[in-house]
Amino acid sequence: MKFCYSRDNAGEISVTLASSALDVQRAMSLNGRIYERLYETHWAIPPDCFVMAELKGVVVATAGLLFAINHDVIPSERYFQLGFSVARFFAEERTRIAEVGRLTSTTTEGLKAVLNRVVLECRKRGIGYLVGWTSAAVREHLERNCGFTFQKLDAKLNLARALADNSWVIKPSGFFVRDDAPELLMSVIPLHPGSRIDEDRRISAEDRLSRVREAAE
């Protein structure tokens, strides 16, 4: 099902989950082209859930979700050595944690569109926490332009395990070996714009954020 998200100067942006093999391939294609240009590699396999935004029939943005409960480990756990409190948090909240990634976009409005749908999909599935890894520059962009709030977690990049992961076409050196290396972040779903929660649930969400901050210390 497609949702009309918004309009930019070029027209109306619609967002859908890539459910067919063709749509997954289209989302992977944009994601792959941008990752290749930036990092000289790309993901070889799709995520559990692929969100894509289209403008006039052309894919302009993507975002992917991995649900922690579906996997023994997700890349966040494979690529980073979690601090004790963070590891315990992952174990206790595993059913409500999803990893967001595969973020690519040719327009800020497209990025907002896919992230808006990510929040909606997480709420439908009972996901309360988004974890992901990205650079400080991308984090700042997401916070400033897309309304996301992140907490940096106590986790050290394990470069050897990141480069040995066969989920990429070739070793993702360009993604991980750089001055602005990715950091592990977590965000609380109900605190994002568009979550449409009442005051009691917002207070509950603030409590969740406090738990994340405690785990991060």
Side-chain angles (χ1 to χ4, degrees):
M1 180 181 297
K2 290 191 176 183
F3 291 82
C4 173
Y5 174 72
S6 65
R7 297 183 65 87
D8 68 5
N9 293 333
E12 186 177 276
I13 295 174
S14 61
V15 185
T16 188
L17 301 184
S19 56
S20 70
L22 177 59
D23 280 347
V24 170
Q25 190 277 328
R26 294 173 66 216
M28 290 283 286
S29 179
L30 175 68
N31 190 253
R33 291 199 307 272
I34 293 179
Y35 268 56
E36 283 287 346
R37 187 178 75 239
L38 296 176
Y39 312 119
E40 299 181 337
T41 190
H42 63 271
W43 291 95
I45 56 176
D48 296 338
C49 177
F50 225 153
V51 181
M52 64 181 191
E54 295 178 75
L55 178 62
K56 297 182 179 179
V58 177
V59 180
V60 295
T62 67
L65 287 169
L66 291 174
F67 303 106
I69 195 64
N70 293 348
H71 304 270
D72 293 334
V73 292
I74 53 177
S76 293
E77 298 167 289
R78 186 180 300 117
Y79 300 165
F80 291 85
Q81 182 64 47
L82 306 183
F84 175 79
S85 295
V86 177
R88 183 175 62 187
F89 185 90
F90 266 65
E92 293 174 350
E93 297 287 350
R94 194 164 193 84
T95 60
R96 298 204 293 166
I97 292 175
E99 180 180 284
V100 63
R102 275 75 161 184
L103 286 176
T104 49
S105 179
T106 60
T107 166
T108 297
E109 284 301 312
L111 183 61
K112 290 180 182 178
V114 291
L115 289 174
N116 183 72
R117 185 62 190 273
V118 161
V119 171
L120 175 62
E121 193 64 23
C122 285
R123 290 185 63 225
K124 285 170 55 179
R125 294 173 180 256
I127 299 295
Y129 306 96
L130 275 181
V131 64
W133 27 275
T134 191
S135 66
V138 172
R139 172 187 179 180
E140 181 182 345
H141 176 71
L142 294 175
E143 291 181 334
R144 183 179 64 250
N145 297 311
C146 300
F148 272 58
T149 301
F150 295 97
Q151 175 67 48
K152 181 180 175 181
L153 298 182
D154 175 19
K156 183 178 180 180
L157 177 64
N158 187 320
L159 185 59
R161 284 196 300 192
L163 297 184
D165 189 358
N166 61 9
S167 300
W168 302 77
V169 174
I170 61 173
K171 290 183 179 181
S173 301
F175 195 96
F176 291 103
V177 184
R178 51 189 167 122
D179 292 336
D180 191 13
E183 302 172 333
L184 189 63
L185 311 170
M186 183 168 278
S187 192
V188 179
I189 282 294
L191 298 181
H192 296 307
S195 290
R196 299 185 183 90
I197 57 174
D198 57 31
E199 186 61 25
D200 287 342
R201 290 180 63 199
R202 181 167 294 279
I203 292 171
S204 176
E206 292 285 0
D207 289 340
R208 291 188 203 174
L209 182 59
S210 295
R211 286 198 61 204
V212 172
R213 287 172 174 161
E214 289 173 4
E217 294 175 352

